[in-house]
Amino acid sequence: MAAAAPATTELLHAYRRLLRAGLRAVQFSQPSRSTLTAKLREGFRDPRGTFDAERVRRTVWFLNAAAQQRGLEHRILKNLCRVHWERAREASRTAWRMRVRHDEAEKNRKEAKKKDPDVIKGTEYEHFERTIAMLNDTMGLCLR
C-alpha cells in the first residue's frame, strides 16, 4: 500500500524547520550557509525524493544538537558542508578551465583515449556517499 502524498503545507513547514535548524547549526557562516541552502533546495526539488516526517523530525533534532554544542553532530555537519562546498568548487573550476583552455582539453582527451581508462576517476566520493547513507539509515536521518 502506497503512502499518501504529504500536503504542501507539511512540506513547507518541514523545509522551514530544516532550514532554520541548519542555519543555526552552521552559525550563519557564509560558505556553509550557501551550501546548506543549496543542498536543502536540491533535496526538496528532487522528483524521486520521498517525504518521511519522522526522518525530518530526527534530522531537526540532529541539527539542533549540532547548534547547541561543538560535539560529534557539529563536526559531522561541518565536514558535510565542507565536502559539498569543495565538490561544487571543483566542478565549477573544471568547467571554467574547459572553456578557457579548450585546445588543451581537446588534446588531453585524445591522449586519454589512447591510454587505459582511469578506474578511480568518478569514484572519489563513493565511500563518502556510502558513509552518509549508512548514517542516515542507522539514525533515521535525511542528511545529504
PDB file of all heavy atoms in Angstrom, residues 22-59:
ATOM      1  N   GLY A  22      19.280  24.187  10.456  1.00  0.00           N
ATOM      2  CA  GLY A  22      20.563  24.093   9.766  1.00  0.00           C
ATOM      3  C   GLY A  22      21.352  25.382   9.824  1.00  0.00           C
ATOM      4  O   GLY A  22      22.563  25.372  10.049  1.00  0.00           O
ATOM      5  N   LEU A  23      20.676  26.509   9.634  1.00  0.00           N
ATOM      6  CA  LEU A  23      21.372  27.792   9.704  1.00  0.00           C
ATOM      7  C   LEU A  23      21.892  28.068  11.109  1.00  0.00           C
ATOM      8  O   LEU A  23      22.983  28.615  11.281  1.00  0.00           O
ATOM      9  CB  LEU A  23      20.453  28.918   9.234  1.00  0.00           C
ATOM     10  CG  LEU A  23      20.152  28.936   7.736  1.00  0.00           C
ATOM     11  CD1 LEU A  23      19.141  30.021   7.409  1.00  0.00           C
ATOM     12  CD2 LEU A  23      21.416  29.125   6.923  1.00  0.00           C
ATOM     13  N   ARG A  24      21.123  27.698  12.120  1.00  0.00           N
ATOM     14  CA  ARG A  24      21.607  27.844  13.499  1.00  0.00           C
ATOM     15  C   ARG A  24      22.817  26.945  13.734  1.00  0.00           C
ATOM     16  O   ARG A  24      23.756  27.327  14.428  1.00  0.00           O
ATOM     17  CB  ARG A  24      20.510  27.494  14.495  1.00  0.00           C
ATOM     18  CG  ARG A  24      19.672  28.678  14.875  1.00  0.00           C
ATOM     19  CD  ARG A  24      18.734  28.345  16.021  1.00  0.00           C
ATOM     20  NE  ARG A  24      17.377  28.378  15.504  1.00  0.00           N
ATOM     21  CZ  ARG A  24      16.552  27.351  15.452  1.00  0.00           C
ATOM     22  NH1 ARG A  24      16.908  26.186  15.926  1.00  0.00           N
ATOM     23  NH2 ARG A  24      15.351  27.472  14.946  1.00  0.00           N
ATOM     24  N   ALA A  25      22.788  25.752  13.160  1.00  0.00           N
ATOM     25  CA  ALA A  25      23.874  24.798  13.375  1.00  0.00           C
ATOM     26  C   ALA A  25      25.178  25.257  12.733  1.00  0.00           C
ATOM     27  O   ALA A  25      26.246  25.028  13.291  1.00  0.00           O
ATOM     28  CB  ALA A  25      23.482  23.428  12.848  1.00  0.00           C
ATOM     29  N   VAL A  26      25.088  25.882  11.567  1.00  0.00           N
ATOM     30  CA  VAL A  26      26.316  26.364  10.914  1.00  0.00           C
ATOM     31  C   VAL A  26      26.639  27.794  11.319  1.00  0.00           C
ATOM     32  O   VAL A  26      27.582  28.387  10.811  1.00  0.00           O
ATOM     33  CB  VAL A  26      26.239  26.257   9.367  1.00  0.00           C
ATOM     34  CG1 VAL A  26      26.090  24.829   8.940  1.00  0.00           C
ATOM     35  CG2 VAL A  26      25.150  27.128   8.804  1.00  0.00           C
ATOM     36  N   GLN A  27      25.841  28.335  12.229  1.00  0.00           N
ATOM     37  CA  GLN A  27      26.044  29.672  12.790  1.00  0.00           C
ATOM     38  C   GLN A  27      26.061  30.742  11.710  1.00  0.00           C
ATOM     39  O   GLN A  27      26.805  31.716  11.777  1.00  0.00           O
ATOM     40  CB  GLN A  27      27.321  29.710  13.624  1.00  0.00           C
ATOM     41  CG  GLN A  27      27.275  28.751  14.780  1.00  0.00           C
ATOM     42  CD  GLN A  27      28.585  28.664  15.517  1.00  0.00           C
ATOM     43  OE1 GLN A  27      29.595  29.233  15.092  1.00  0.00           O
ATOM     44  NE2 GLN A  27      28.588  27.947  16.620  1.00  0.00           N
ATOM     45  N   PHE A  28      25.273  30.553  10.688  1.00  0.00           N
ATOM     46  CA  PHE A  28      25.097  31.505   9.596  1.00  0.00           C
ATOM     47  C   PHE A  28      26.404  31.875   8.907  1.00  0.00           C
ATOM     48  O   PHE A  28      26.507  32.932   8.304  1.00  0.00           O
ATOM     49  CB  PHE A  28      24.394  32.782  10.099  1.00  0.00           C
ATOM     50  CG  PHE A  28      23.016  32.534  10.625  1.00  0.00           C
ATOM     51  CD1 PHE A  28      22.803  32.235  11.958  1.00  0.00           C
ATOM     52  CD2 PHE A  28      21.924  32.583   9.784  1.00  0.00           C
ATOM     53  CE1 PHE A  28      21.534  31.999  12.444  1.00  0.00           C
ATOM     54  CE2 PHE A  28      20.643  32.346  10.265  1.00  0.00           C
ATOM     55  CZ  PHE A  28      20.452  32.059  11.593  1.00  0.00           C
ATOM     56  N   SER A  29      27.406  31.011   8.978  1.00  0.00           N
ATOM     57  CA  SER A  29      28.684  31.287   8.315  1.00  0.00           C
ATOM     58  C   SER A  29      28.520  31.134   6.811  1.00  0.00           C
ATOM     59  O   SER A  29      27.797  30.260   6.338  1.00  0.00           O
ATOM     60  CB  SER A  29      29.767  30.352   8.831  1.00  0.00           C
ATOM     61  OG  SER A  29      29.480  29.034   8.482  1.00  0.00           O
ATOM     62  N   GLN A  30      29.176  31.984   6.053  1.00  0.00           N
ATOM     63  CA  GLN A  30      28.897  32.104   4.640  1.00  0.00           C
ATOM     64  C   GLN A  30      29.086  30.843   3.796  1.00  0.00           C
ATOM     65  O   GLN A  30      28.161  30.453   3.128  1.00  0.00           O
ATOM     66  CB  GLN A  30      29.678  33.259   4.032  1.00  0.00           C
ATOM     67  CG  GLN A  30      29.379  33.550   2.589  1.00  0.00           C
ATOM     68  CD  GLN A  30      27.924  33.430   2.191  1.00  0.00           C
ATOM     69  OE1 GLN A  30      27.525  32.407   1.647  1.00  0.00           O
ATOM     70  NE2 GLN A  30      27.109  34.415   2.456  1.00  0.00           N
ATOM     71  N   PRO A  31      30.238  30.205   3.776  1.00  0.00           N
ATOM     72  CA  PRO A  31      30.313  29.056   2.857  1.00  0.00           C
ATOM     73  C   PRO A  31      29.334  27.951   3.244  1.00  0.00           C
ATOM     74  O   PRO A  31      28.685  27.364   2.382  1.00  0.00           O
ATOM     75  CB  PRO A  31      31.750  28.565   2.983  1.00  0.00           C
ATOM     76  CG  PRO A  31      32.489  29.592   3.702  1.00  0.00           C
ATOM     77  CD  PRO A  31      31.512  30.429   4.448  1.00  0.00           C
ATOM     78  N   SER A  32      29.179  27.718   4.532  1.00  0.00           N
ATOM     79  CA  SER A  32      28.288  26.656   4.986  1.00  0.00           C
ATOM     80  C   SER A  32      26.830  27.016   4.746  1.00  0.00           C
ATOM     81  O   SER A  32      26.014  26.154   4.422  1.00  0.00           O
ATOM     82  CB  SER A  32      28.514  26.374   6.465  1.00  0.00           C
ATOM     83  OG  SER A  32      29.820  25.932   6.680  1.00  0.00           O
ATOM     84  N   ARG A  33      26.490  28.262   4.908  1.00  0.00           N
ATOM     85  CA  ARG A  33      25.107  28.696   4.720  1.00  0.00           C
ATOM     86  C   ARG A  33      24.652  28.490   3.287  1.00  0.00           C
ATOM     87  O   ARG A  33      23.579  27.953   3.032  1.00  0.00           O
ATOM     88  CB  ARG A  33      24.981  30.173   5.111  1.00  0.00           C
ATOM     89  CG  ARG A  33      23.588  30.717   4.970  1.00  0.00           C
ATOM     90  CD  ARG A  33      23.509  32.140   5.432  1.00  0.00           C
ATOM     91  NE  ARG A  33      24.373  32.987   4.633  1.00  0.00           N
ATOM     92  CZ  ARG A  33      24.745  34.208   4.986  1.00  0.00           C
ATOM     93  NH1 ARG A  33      24.346  34.714   6.129  1.00  0.00           N
ATOM     94  NH2 ARG A  33      25.510  34.931   4.206  1.00  0.00           N
ATOM     95  N   SER A  34      25.467  28.884   2.338  1.00  0.00           N
ATOM     96  CA  SER A  34      25.084  28.722   0.937  1.00  0.00           C
ATOM     97  C   SER A  34      25.060  27.250   0.534  1.00  0.00           C
ATOM     98  O   SER A  34      24.184  26.823  -0.228  1.00  0.00           O
ATOM     99  CB  SER A  34      26.024  29.509   0.031  1.00  0.00           C
ATOM    100  OG  SER A  34      27.350  29.095   0.217  1.00  0.00           O
ATOM    101  N   THR A  35      25.975  26.466   1.052  1.00  0.00           N
ATOM    102  CA  THR A  35      25.994  25.037   0.771  1.00  0.00           C
ATOM    103  C   THR A  35      24.762  24.354   1.346  1.00  0.00           C
ATOM    104  O   THR A  35      24.120  23.542   0.678  1.00  0.00           O
ATOM    105  CB  THR A  35      27.265  24.393   1.358  1.00  0.00           C
ATOM    106  OG1 THR A  35      28.401  25.048   0.825  1.00  0.00           O
ATOM    107  CG2 THR A  35      27.332  22.927   1.039  1.00  0.00           C
ATOM    108  N   LEU A  36      24.422  24.713   2.570  1.00  0.00           N
ATOM    109  CA  LEU A  36      23.256  24.128   3.233  1.00  0.00           C
ATOM    110  C   LEU A  36      21.972  24.443   2.472  1.00  0.00           C
ATOM    111  O   LEU A  36      21.167  23.549   2.206  1.00  0.00           O
ATOM    112  CB  LEU A  36      23.157  24.637   4.674  1.00  0.00           C
ATOM    113  CG  LEU A  36      21.956  24.136   5.445  1.00  0.00           C
ATOM    114  CD1 LEU A  36      22.279  22.796   6.075  1.00  0.00           C
ATOM    115  CD2 LEU A  36      21.545  25.137   6.482  1.00  0.00           C
ATOM    116  N   THR A  37      21.784  25.684   2.100  1.00  0.00           N
ATOM    117  CA  THR A  37      20.557  26.052   1.385  1.00  0.00           C
ATOM    118  C   THR A  37      20.497  25.388   0.012  1.00  0.00           C
ATOM    119  O   THR A  37      19.428  24.943  -0.414  1.00  0.00           O
ATOM    120  CB  THR A  37      20.426  27.578   1.232  1.00  0.00           C
ATOM    121  OG1 THR A  37      21.598  28.083   0.620  1.00  0.00           O
ATOM    122  CG2 THR A  37      20.210  28.241   2.571  1.00  0.00           C
ATOM    123  N   ALA A  38      21.631  25.271  -0.660  1.00  0.00           N
ATOM    124  CA  ALA A  38      21.649  24.631  -1.974  1.00  0.00           C
ATOM    125  C   ALA A  38      21.280  23.147  -1.869  1.00  0.00           C
ATOM    126  O   ALA A  38      20.472  22.638  -2.657  1.00  0.00           O
ATOM    127  CB  ALA A  38      23.022  24.789  -2.618  1.00  0.00           C
ATOM    128  N   LYS A  39      21.851  22.446  -0.896  1.00  0.00           N
ATOM    129  CA  LYS A  39      21.546  21.020  -0.733  1.00  0.00           C
ATOM    130  C   LYS A  39      20.101  20.807  -0.279  1.00  0.00           C
ATOM    131  O   LYS A  39      19.451  19.852  -0.695  1.00  0.00           O
ATOM    132  CB  LYS A  39      22.501  20.366   0.269  1.00  0.00           C
ATOM    133  CG  LYS A  39      23.929  20.275  -0.209  1.00  0.00           C
ATOM    134  CD  LYS A  39      24.048  19.567  -1.535  1.00  0.00           C
ATOM    135  CE  LYS A  39      23.973  18.094  -1.415  1.00  0.00           C
ATOM    136  NZ  LYS A  39      24.170  17.394  -2.693  1.00  0.00           N
ATOM    137  N   LEU A  40      19.599  21.702   0.561  1.00  0.00           N
ATOM    138  CA  LEU A  40      18.216  21.580   1.018  1.00  0.00           C
ATOM    139  C   LEU A  40      17.242  21.799  -0.133  1.00  0.00           C
ATOM    140  O   LEU A  40      16.285  21.052  -0.307  1.00  0.00           O
ATOM    141  CB  LEU A  40      17.960  22.583   2.145  1.00  0.00           C
ATOM    142  CG  LEU A  40      16.700  22.411   2.959  1.00  0.00           C
ATOM    143  CD1 LEU A  40      16.656  21.031   3.589  1.00  0.00           C
ATOM    144  CD2 LEU A  40      16.634  23.476   4.037  1.00  0.00           C
ATOM    145  N   ARG A  41      17.501  22.801  -0.953  1.00  0.00           N
ATOM    146  CA  ARG A  41      16.660  23.046  -2.130  1.00  0.00           C
ATOM    147  C   ARG A  41      16.707  21.860  -3.082  1.00  0.00           C
ATOM    148  O   ARG A  41      15.688  21.429  -3.623  1.00  0.00           O
ATOM    149  CB  ARG A  41      17.126  24.299  -2.862  1.00  0.00           C
ATOM    150  CG  ARG A  41      16.755  25.569  -2.182  1.00  0.00           C
ATOM    151  CD  ARG A  41      17.295  26.747  -2.940  1.00  0.00           C
ATOM    152  NE  ARG A  41      17.069  27.963  -2.176  1.00  0.00           N
ATOM    153  CZ  ARG A  41      17.766  29.059  -2.332  1.00  0.00           C
ATOM    154  NH1 ARG A  41      18.746  29.108  -3.228  1.00  0.00           N
ATOM    155  NH2 ARG A  41      17.493  30.126  -1.608  1.00  0.00           N
ATOM    156  N   GLU A  42      17.910  21.348  -3.294  1.00  0.00           N
ATOM    157  CA  GLU A  42      18.074  20.202  -4.196  1.00  0.00           C
ATOM    158  C   GLU A  42      17.279  19.002  -3.689  1.00  0.00           C
ATOM    159  O   GLU A  42      16.647  18.289  -4.463  1.00  0.00           O
ATOM    160  CB  GLU A  42      19.557  19.853  -4.280  1.00  0.00           C
ATOM    161  CG  GLU A  42      19.896  18.694  -5.178  1.00  0.00           C
ATOM    162  CD  GLU A  42      21.384  18.393  -5.130  1.00  0.00           C
ATOM    163  OE1 GLU A  42      22.182  19.337  -5.142  1.00  0.00           O
ATOM    164  OE2 GLU A  42      21.722  17.188  -5.071  1.00  0.00           O
ATOM    165  N   GLY A  43      17.299  18.792  -2.389  1.00  0.00           N
ATOM    166  CA  GLY A  43      16.585  17.664  -1.812  1.00  0.00           C
ATOM    167  C   GLY A  43      15.074  17.788  -1.927  1.00  0.00           C
ATOM    168  O   GLY A  43      14.372  16.820  -2.205  1.00  0.00           O
ATOM    169  N   PHE A  44      14.565  18.997  -1.754  1.00  0.00           N
ATOM    170  CA  PHE A  44      13.121  19.181  -1.829  1.00  0.00           C
ATOM    171  C   PHE A  44      12.620  19.277  -3.265  1.00  0.00           C
ATOM    172  O   PHE A  44      11.439  19.080  -3.514  1.00  0.00           O
ATOM    173  CB  PHE A  44      12.689  20.420  -1.030  1.00  0.00           C
ATOM    174  CG  PHE A  44      12.427  20.118   0.412  1.00  0.00           C
ATOM    175  CD1 PHE A  44      13.468  20.085   1.328  1.00  0.00           C
ATOM    176  CD2 PHE A  44      11.158  19.832   0.851  1.00  0.00           C
ATOM    177  CE1 PHE A  44      13.235  19.795   2.651  1.00  0.00           C
ATOM    178  CE2 PHE A  44      10.910  19.535   2.178  1.00  0.00           C
ATOM    179  CZ  PHE A  44      11.956  19.517   3.079  1.00  0.00           C
ATOM    180  N   ARG A  45      13.500  19.572  -4.195  1.00  0.00           N
ATOM    181  CA  ARG A  45      13.094  19.643  -5.604  1.00  0.00           C
ATOM    182  C   ARG A  45      13.277  18.319  -6.336  1.00  0.00           C
ATOM    183  O   ARG A  45      12.870  18.190  -7.489  1.00  0.00           O
ATOM    184  CB  ARG A  45      13.895  20.722  -6.318  1.00  0.00           C
ATOM    185  CG  ARG A  45      13.517  22.109  -5.878  1.00  0.00           C
ATOM    186  CD  ARG A  45      14.353  23.148  -6.556  1.00  0.00           C
ATOM    187  NE  ARG A  45      13.973  24.480  -6.094  1.00  0.00           N
ATOM    188  CZ  ARG A  45      14.686  25.552  -6.288  1.00  0.00           C
ATOM    189  NH1 ARG A  45      15.847  25.469  -6.927  1.00  0.00           N
ATOM    190  NH2 ARG A  45      14.272  26.718  -5.842  1.00  0.00           N
ATOM    191  N   ASP A  46      13.879  17.346  -5.690  1.00  0.00           N
ATOM    192  CA  ASP A  46      14.130  16.044  -6.312  1.00  0.00           C
ATOM    193  C   ASP A  46      12.799  15.330  -6.551  1.00  0.00           C
ATOM    194  O   ASP A  46      12.083  15.020  -5.603  1.00  0.00           O
ATOM    195  CB  ASP A  46      15.019  15.203  -5.406  1.00  0.00           C
ATOM    196  CG  ASP A  46      15.461  13.910  -6.054  1.00  0.00           C
ATOM    197  OD1 ASP A  46      15.224  13.732  -7.266  1.00  0.00           O
ATOM    198  OD2 ASP A  46      16.057  13.079  -5.343  1.00  0.00           O
ATOM    199  N   PRO A  47      12.454  15.039  -7.820  1.00  0.00           N
ATOM    200  CA  PRO A  47      11.172  14.382  -8.082  1.00  0.00           C
ATOM    201  C   PRO A  47      11.122  12.934  -7.582  1.00  0.00           C
ATOM    202  O   PRO A  47      10.057  12.403  -7.328  1.00  0.00           O
ATOM    203  CB  PRO A  47      11.046  14.430  -9.607  1.00  0.00           C
ATOM    204  CG  PRO A  47      12.422  14.621 -10.109  1.00  0.00           C
ATOM    205  CD  PRO A  47      13.187  15.344  -9.036  1.00  0.00           C
ATOM    206  N   ARG A  48      12.271  12.304  -7.422  1.00  0.00           N
ATOM    207  CA  ARG A  48      12.316  10.930  -6.934  1.00  0.00           C
ATOM    208  C   ARG A  48      12.359  10.858  -5.419  1.00  0.00           C
ATOM    209  O   ARG A  48      12.322   9.784  -4.845  1.00  0.00           O
ATOM    210  CB  ARG A  48      13.538  10.204  -7.503  1.00  0.00           C
ATOM    211  CG  ARG A  48      13.507  10.065  -9.019  1.00  0.00           C
ATOM    212  CD  ARG A  48      14.819   9.536  -9.550  1.00  0.00           C
ATOM    213  NE  ARG A  48      15.861  10.546  -9.333  1.00  0.00           N
ATOM    214  CZ  ARG A  48      17.053  10.305  -8.812  1.00  0.00           C
ATOM    215  NH1 ARG A  48      17.394   9.104  -8.463  1.00  0.00           N
ATOM    216  NH2 ARG A  48      17.930  11.268  -8.652  1.00  0.00           N
ATOM    217  N   GLY A  49      12.463  12.012  -4.762  1.00  0.00           N
ATOM    218  CA  GLY A  49      12.579  12.047  -3.317  1.00  0.00           C
ATOM    219  C   GLY A  49      11.297  11.629  -2.616  1.00  0.00           C
ATOM    220  O   GLY A  49      10.200  11.763  -3.155  1.00  0.00           O
ATOM    221  N   THR A  50      11.458  11.100  -1.428  1.00  0.00           N
ATOM    222  CA  THR A  50      10.305  10.720  -0.619  1.00  0.00           C
ATOM    223  C   THR A  50      10.302  11.578   0.636  1.00  0.00           C
ATOM    224  O   THR A  50      11.353  12.039   1.094  1.00  0.00           O
ATOM    225  CB  THR A  50      10.367   9.230  -0.223  1.00  0.00           C
ATOM    226  OG1 THR A  50      11.576   9.000   0.491  1.00  0.00           O
ATOM    227  CG2 THR A  50      10.303   8.347  -1.448  1.00  0.00           C
ATOM    228  N   PHE A  51       9.134  11.768   1.195  1.00  0.00           N
ATOM    229  CA  PHE A  51       8.985  12.584   2.388  1.00  0.00           C
ATOM    230  C   PHE A  51       8.612  11.686   3.560  1.00  0.00           C
ATOM    231  O   PHE A  51       7.640  10.944   3.502  1.00  0.00           O
ATOM    232  CB  PHE A  51       7.906  13.650   2.176  1.00  0.00           C
ATOM    233  CG  PHE A  51       7.688  14.503   3.389  1.00  0.00           C
ATOM    234  CD1 PHE A  51       8.591  15.475   3.729  1.00  0.00           C
ATOM    235  CD2 PHE A  51       6.579  14.309   4.203  1.00  0.00           C
ATOM    236  CE1 PHE A  51       8.404  16.259   4.851  1.00  0.00           C
ATOM    237  CE2 PHE A  51       6.381  15.083   5.322  1.00  0.00           C
ATOM    238  CZ  PHE A  51       7.292  16.062   5.649  1.00  0.00           C
ATOM    239  N   ASP A  52       9.408  11.752   4.606  1.00  0.00           N
ATOM    240  CA  ASP A  52       9.143  10.999   5.820  1.00  0.00           C
ATOM    241  C   ASP A  52       9.231  11.973   6.988  1.00  0.00           C
ATOM    242  O   ASP A  52      10.311  12.489   7.306  1.00  0.00           O
ATOM    243  CB  ASP A  52      10.155   9.869   5.975  1.00  0.00           C
ATOM    244  CG  ASP A  52       9.865   8.962   7.152  1.00  0.00           C
ATOM    245  OD1 ASP A  52       8.826   9.156   7.813  1.00  0.00           O
ATOM    246  OD2 ASP A  52      10.680   8.055   7.410  1.00  0.00           O
ATOM    247  N   ALA A  53       8.098  12.251   7.619  1.00  0.00           N
ATOM    248  CA  ALA A  53       8.038  13.241   8.688  1.00  0.00           C
ATOM    249  C   ALA A  53       8.920  12.852   9.869  1.00  0.00           C
ATOM    250  O   ALA A  53       9.532  13.719  10.505  1.00  0.00           O
ATOM    251  CB  ALA A  53       6.595  13.434   9.145  1.00  0.00           C
ATOM    252  N   GLU A  54       9.009  11.566  10.151  1.00  0.00           N
ATOM    253  CA  GLU A  54       9.839  11.109  11.267  1.00  0.00           C
ATOM    254  C   GLU A  54      11.316  11.374  10.998  1.00  0.00           C
ATOM    255  O   GLU A  54      12.054  11.807  11.884  1.00  0.00           O
ATOM    256  CB  GLU A  54       9.608   9.618  11.524  1.00  0.00           C
ATOM    257  CG  GLU A  54      10.408   9.044  12.667  1.00  0.00           C
ATOM    258  CD  GLU A  54      10.077   9.673  14.014  1.00  0.00           C
ATOM    259  OE1 GLU A  54       8.950  10.170  14.195  1.00  0.00           O
ATOM    260  OE2 GLU A  54      10.963   9.656  14.890  1.00  0.00           O
ATOM    261  N   ARG A  55      11.757  11.140   9.773  1.00  0.00           N
ATOM    262  CA  ARG A  55      13.160  11.420   9.415  1.00  0.00           C
ATOM    263  C   ARG A  55      13.453  12.911   9.495  1.00  0.00           C
ATOM    264  O   ARG A  55      14.524  13.315   9.943  1.00  0.00           O
ATOM    265  CB  ARG A  55      13.476  10.894   8.019  1.00  0.00           C
ATOM    266  CG  ARG A  55      13.692   9.405   7.980  1.00  0.00           C
ATOM    267  CD  ARG A  55      14.081   8.958   6.573  1.00  0.00           C
ATOM    268  NE  ARG A  55      14.415   7.563   6.566  1.00  0.00           N
ATOM    269  CZ  ARG A  55      15.658   7.087   6.644  1.00  0.00           C
ATOM    270  NH1 ARG A  55      16.667   7.913   6.709  1.00  0.00           N
ATOM    271  NH2 ARG A  55      15.873   5.795   6.637  1.00  0.00           N
ATOM    272  N   VAL A  56      12.504  13.728   9.069  1.00  0.00           N
ATOM    273  CA  VAL A  56      12.683  15.177   9.150  1.00  0.00           C
ATOM    274  C   VAL A  56      12.795  15.601  10.609  1.00  0.00           C
ATOM    275  O   VAL A  56      13.666  16.410  10.975  1.00  0.00           O
ATOM    276  CB  VAL A  56      11.529  15.916   8.441  1.00  0.00           C
ATOM    277  CG1 VAL A  56      11.570  17.397   8.730  1.00  0.00           C
ATOM    278  CG2 VAL A  56      11.578  15.664   6.946  1.00  0.00           C
ATOM    279  N   ARG A  57      11.944  15.058  11.457  1.00  0.00           N
ATOM    280  CA  ARG A  57      11.962  15.406  12.881  1.00  0.00           C
ATOM    281  C   ARG A  57      13.294  15.023  13.514  1.00  0.00           C
ATOM    282  O   ARG A  57      13.894  15.812  14.255  1.00  0.00           O
ATOM    283  CB  ARG A  57      10.820  14.684  13.591  1.00  0.00           C
ATOM    284  CG  ARG A  57      10.609  15.102  15.027  1.00  0.00           C
ATOM    285  CD  ARG A  57       9.311  14.553  15.577  1.00  0.00           C
ATOM    286  NE  ARG A  57       9.246  13.109  15.533  1.00  0.00           N
ATOM    287  CZ  ARG A  57       9.609  12.305  16.540  1.00  0.00           C
ATOM    288  NH1 ARG A  57      10.060  12.821  17.644  1.00  0.00           N
ATOM    289  NH2 ARG A  57       9.496  10.996  16.415  1.00  0.00           N
ATOM    290  N   ARG A  58      13.804  13.840  13.188  1.00  0.00           N
ATOM    291  CA  ARG A  58      15.096  13.410  13.738  1.00  0.00           C
ATOM    292  C   ARG A  58      16.252  14.249  13.194  1.00  0.00           C
ATOM    293  O   ARG A  58      17.218  14.523  13.901  1.00  0.00           O
ATOM    294  CB  ARG A  58      15.330  11.939  13.430  1.00  0.00           C
ATOM    295  CG  ARG A  58      14.446  11.036  14.236  1.00  0.00           C
ATOM    296  CD  ARG A  58      14.725   9.608  13.926  1.00  0.00           C
ATOM    297  NE  ARG A  58      13.774   8.758  14.631  1.00  0.00           N
ATOM    298  CZ  ARG A  58      13.951   7.477  14.827  1.00  0.00           C
ATOM    299  NH1 ARG A  58      15.033   6.885  14.354  1.00  0.00           N
ATOM    300  NH2 ARG A  58      13.053   6.777  15.470  1.00  0.00           N
ATOM    301  N   THR A  59      16.151  14.648  11.939  1.00  0.00           N
ATOM    302  CA  THR A  59      17.197  15.490  11.365  1.00  0.00           C
ATOM    303  C   THR A  59      17.210  16.855  12.035  1.00  0.00           C
ATOM    304  O   THR A  59      18.280  17.417  12.295  1.00  0.00           O
ATOM    305  CB  THR A  59      16.994  15.630   9.844  1.00  0.00           C
ATOM    306  OG1 THR A  59      16.950  14.319   9.269  1.00  0.00           O
ATOM    307  CG2 THR A  59      18.125  16.405   9.205  1.00  0.00           C
TER     308      THR A  59
END
